[in-house]
Amino acid sequence: MHAIVAADTVNLKGGWSSFWSAITSGFPGITTMMTVIGVILVVGAILKWAWDRRRGGNMSQGHQNLWGALIPGAILAAPALLFPIMLGILDWVANIGISLVNTAIK
């Protein structure tokens, strides 16, 4: 049985960079708008969490509401930073897997 590997390397980060460059060139203010919305989500979630904690109420859900706003807020606040980091890690893992498969085939 032979495994077929279609590519020698994976470059998701480069694809995201091209995509994000096309988006920002078409809509120059989108990065600022997304950052503002993301920061508002994060600050609002933290303030609501602190207020609920101060009142001692609504803690039955734990931190679910906090994380439910922090994650999208962080993604919106830094798409030019977070996505390249995450995709770079995925590239690294996928390229290691491809190298292992290619080595095992030889």
Side-chain angles (χ1 to χ4, degrees):
M1 180 173 163
H2 296 283
I4 299 173
V5 178
D8 290 330
T9 60
V10 174
N11 188 10
L12 299 172
K13 186 177 175 181
W16 170 258
S17 181
S18 299
F19 172 76
W20 191 246
S21 294
I23 295 292
T24 54
S25 67
F27 304 102
I30 195 165
T31 304
T32 304
M33 180 185 69
M34 289 175 67
T35 301
V36 168
I37 292 169
V39 168
I40 289 170
L41 276 173
V42 169
V43 170
I46 292 171
L47 289 176
K48 182 182 180 326
W49 174 79
W51 182 257
D52 288 343
R53 185 115 171 135
R54 181 192 169 284
R55 288 187 329 171
N58 198 20
M59 295 310 293
S60 61
Q61 293 182 351
H63 302 307
Q64 182 179 359
N65 291 335
L66 180 65
W67 286 110
L70 284 179
I71 292 170
I75 290 170
L76 284 172
L81 176 68
L82 288 179
F83 287 140
I85 289 172
M86 291 186 306
L87 291 173
I89 292 168
L90 278 172
D91 285 345
W92 181 69
V93 170
N95 287 328
I96 287 174
I98 289 172
S99 296
L100 290 173
V101 169
N102 286 338
T103 303
I105 291 173
K106 292 180 182 179

